[in-house]
Amino acid sequence: MTETLSLYLAFPLVRYALIVGVLIALCSSLLGVTLVLKRFSYIGDGLSHVAFGAMALAAVLNLTDNMLLILPVTVISAALLLRTGSSSKIRGDAAIAMISVGSLAFGYLLMNLFSTSSNLTGDVCSTLFGSTSITTLKKEEVILCVILSVLVVIFFILFYNRIFAVTFDEEFAKATGVNTELINLLIAIVIAVIIVLSMNLVGSLLISALVIFPALSAMRLFQSFKAVTICSAVLSVVCALSGMLLSILGGTPVGSTIVAFDAAAFVLCYLIGKLRGGK
Amino acid sequence: MRKMRRSTLYVIFTVMFTLSLVGCGKSPAEDVDATADPSTEVGLLEPGGEAWDVVSSQELSQDPAQQDEAAQQPGEEEAGQQETEDRTSDEDVAATADDTVDLDLTNLSSTMVYSEVYNMMTVPEDYIGKTIKMNGTYVYYKDATTGNEYFSCIIQDATACCSQGIEFILTEDYRYPDDYPAEGTTICVSGVFDTYEENGVKYCTLRNARLV
């Protein structure tokens, strides 16, 4: 086992996958707590489908660096979704559902009509479930991921108090002078960045699990925002690392193996919480 | 009591969900036994070597007329009129696939094999001259226009939705079809990695290959 692992670690693709996987897991868990508490758990799913649509468009346009299209489109959608969510005409869940299925259908339609690849099934499956995207990263993609992850962590540390205020009592935060609209917009942008990064790791259908599971697991064990955030980050990184290692060693699908670890961690935390007499 | 029953159901559901997700995977052995499905791909490289495209086994199994049509990729009409280059590269690979193997894919998990073959397709220059050993599904294709015959070893990823493969050229000791395996069987092939151009498209191949 150790020999096989050291053999695999000699491959740059495995080292890249582990670095990117850990960073994505860390970033997704940081804002997962906020999303769950703000009842925005499903926004990740909606945005991931938008990213899928943008990815399909990038593939049709034969863009060498599809990030250049996916990132702006997802960020704009996140901002619009947040704005639409607060308007009276189309609210929260309806807006997310509309954008989610619309983008998915649009993306698949584009791939069907204009894709130059003969393996449409493979392309769609790879985008939806991640497939082996994480183990086929190029050095430039790893560098981009590291830069974006560092920016996300810096944002979270700098805006920690304001994120906390907006998460628990937006009205009170507004009354105390916090620009809640700006904070919400920044959160949406950061979420969009995380979603785009996560697509490489688990694919667009499983992203929500990466955002929600660690936060929910941590909430079974701790009560304070800080403790839950730290525990969520640790759980997410451990699960992502374990999932990736098992996947690489055992030849299982990367995304679903990571999510399986996240789900197992949730069960464990739930049972520990029960034993401790929690909720 | 009712709360406890609900909790138990909740735990059972989560465990089932976890198992179902893990069950999606395929063991390396299963991957080796898998036969080529319609979405099977053989890697082609664009002249720039950056982007890569695929030829599916659907195309491989079409009738000659359809094959001709499928072979005419957009923007390749002009290239198609050119005389097909000799499939052996200008600089013949002197090395032969002996017992020394630089990269043994048979010892790797399906996730690793797929990723490594993907790398070969995207960055072929890193692998040229290396002896590669791999196992996968044997696929045969004959181009009706040029009369060229192509032999490929196809591998699948862990989700079983993506496949790709490498073409191989066996040594002259092997005579087609007597010494070749039946299409769709699992083979283990060892050869020296190289690239060549045909109709303006760069292809990867294993030269001086032999069946192990």
Side-chain angles (χ1 to χ4, degrees):
Chain A
M1 182 84 151
T2 321
E3 278 178 22
T4 316
L5 189 61
S6 50
L7 168 74
Y8 285 174
L9 284 173
F11 288 87
L13 59 96
V14 174
R15 295 198 296 270
Y16 290 163
L18 293 176
I19 292 168
V20 172
V22 164
L23 288 174
I24 290 171
L26 177 69
C27 292
S28 60
S29 63
L30 287 179
L31 281 169
V33 181
T34 303
L35 288 179
V36 170
L37 291 172
K38 279 173 76 69
R39 301 283 191 271
F40 270 145
S41 300
Y42 216 61
I43 201 172
D45 205 60
L47 288 178
S48 66
H49 290 173
V50 171
F52 171 78
M55 191 180 268
L57 188 62
V60 168
L61 294 174
N62 260 330
L63 292 181
T64 317
D65 189 359
N66 56 13
M67 259 324 182
L68 292 172
L69 183 73
I70 299 168
L71 205 57
V73 168
T74 315
V75 166
I76 291 167
S77 301
L80 283 174
L81 205 58
L82 202 82
R83 215 172 158 183
T84 315
S86 61
S87 80
S88 57
K89 285 181 183 172
I90 306 172
R91 279 190 167 274
D93 59 336
I96 292 173
M98 190 180 73
I99 285 188
S100 175
V101 292
S103 306
L104 198 63
F106 178 70
Y108 188 59
L109 191 68
L110 274 181
M111 284 179 115
N112 247 299
L113 292 177
F114 304 109
S115 179
T116 49
S117 168
S118 58
N119 186 16
L120 182 67
T121 320
D123 288 349
V124 173
C125 180
S126 181
T127 316
L128 291 180
F129 294 101
S131 194
T132 45
S133 308
I134 192 76
T135 51
T136 52
L137 293 173
K138 290 176 191 160
K139 199 173 182 179
E140 307 86 66
E141 291 170 320
V142 178
I143 292 168
L144 179 68
C145 181
V146 170
I147 293 169
L148 290 175
S149 302
V150 169
L151 289 176
V152 168
V153 174
I154 289 173
F155 163 79
F156 190 79
I157 293 168
L158 287 178
F159 288 84
Y160 176 79
N161 288 328
R162 272 166 276 189
I163 291 171
F164 176 83
V166 168
T167 302
F168 284 99
D169 199 337
E170 203 167 321
E171 294 302 316
F172 180 74
K174 206 171 191 174
T176 54
V178 176
N179 189 346
T180 53
E181 283 177 3
L182 180 69
I183 298 295
N184 276 329
L185 182 67
L186 286 173
I187 290 173
I189 290 170
V190 172
I191 290 161
V193 171
I194 292 168
I195 298 297
V196 172
L197 291 176
S198 307
M199 279 184 81
N200 276 328
L201 187 61
V202 291
S204 63
L205 279 185
L206 300 173
I207 285 176
S208 290
L210 207 63
V211 174
I212 295 160
F213 266 122
L216 287 175
S217 305
M219 282 173 194
R220 305 299 106 189
L221 301 176
F222 298 98
Q223 307 300 318
S224 77
F225 185 74
K226 193 186 235 175
V228 167
T229 306
I230 293 169
C231 179
S232 168
V234 172
L235 275 175
S236 184
V237 168
V238 169
C239 288
L241 207 54
S242 314
M244 277 191 293
L245 287 175
L246 179 66
S247 166
I248 289 165
L249 287 169
T252 56
V254 184
S256 49
T257 310
I258 292 171
V259 178
F261 267 93
D262 278 322
F266 173 75
V267 174
L268 195 67
C269 292
Y270 178 82
L271 293 174
I272 293 171
K274 276 279 168 199
L275 286 173
R276 283 167 56 184
K279 280 196 277 183
Chain B
M1 186 66 181
R2 196 177 154 194
K3 197 178 173 185
M4 206 174 150
R5 202 193 305 163
R6 213 173 72 179
S7 305
T8 315
L9 279 171
Y10 196 34
V11 171
I12 290 170
F13 170 77
T14 317
V15 171
M16 294 286 282
F17 173 67
T18 308
L19 287 173
S20 67
L21 282 171
V22 174
C24 293
K26 292 184 79 208
S27 68
E30 280 172 338
D31 288 347
V32 167
D33 289 334
T35 51
D37 65 8
S39 63
T40 302
E41 314 165 341
V42 180
L44 315 177
L45 296 164
E46 293 297 322
E50 279 286 316
W52 62 283
D53 203 349
V54 290
V55 170
S56 74
S57 67
Q58 259 176 334
E59 289 168 14
L60 304 188
S61 59
Q62 285 167 351
D63 62 56
Q66 284 176 312
Q67 281 173 7
D68 294 346
E69 202 178 327
Q72 294 293 330
Q73 299 280 341
E76 283 181 15
E77 284 84 356
E78 288 175 22
Q81 289 167 0
Q82 294 169 5
E83 195 175 322
T84 304
E85 290 178 30
D86 186 3
R87 289 183 60 225
T88 51
S89 70
D90 297 328
E91 296 171 18
D92 279 336
V93 181
T96 52
D98 54 15
D99 290 337
T100 317
V101 176
D102 296 313
L103 181 58
D104 190 352
L105 297 178
T106 59
N107 291 332
L108 305 180
S109 70
S110 59
T111 304
M112 284 294 295
V113 172
Y114 184 85
S115 307
E116 201 56 28
V117 173
Y118 180 90
N119 264 353
M120 287 179 195
M121 298 297 135
T122 50
V123 202
E125 53 273 19
D126 289 356
Y127 296 89
I128 290 175
K130 287 185 177 175
T131 305
I132 314 285
K133 185 181 174 188
M134 65 186 292
N135 51 16
T137 308
Y138 167 68
V139 171
Y140 166 78
Y141 165 64
K142 185 171 184 179
D143 189 325
T145 319
T146 61
N148 287 337
E149 291 175 314
Y150 302 89
F151 311 96
S152 308
C153 183
I154 307 292
I155 51 101
Q156 287 187 311
D157 75 331
T159 50
C161 63
C162 303
S163 322
Q164 52 185 342
I166 299 181
E167 181 200 340
F168 59 85
I169 302 166
L170 293 179
T171 57
E172 289 178 358
D173 302 340
Y174 293 87
R175 296 281 167 207
Y176 184 79
D178 300 340
D179 300 328
Y180 282 70
E183 203 172 347
T185 55
T186 303
I187 56 163
C188 182
V189 64
S190 175
V192 182
F193 188 86
D194 195 18
T195 57
Y196 66 92
E197 271 193 34
E198 199 172 274
N199 294 332
V201 181
K202 206 177 203 178
Y203 293 86
C204 296
T205 188
L206 295 179
R207 293 191 189 282
N208 299 320
R210 58 194 180 85
L211 298 170
V212 184

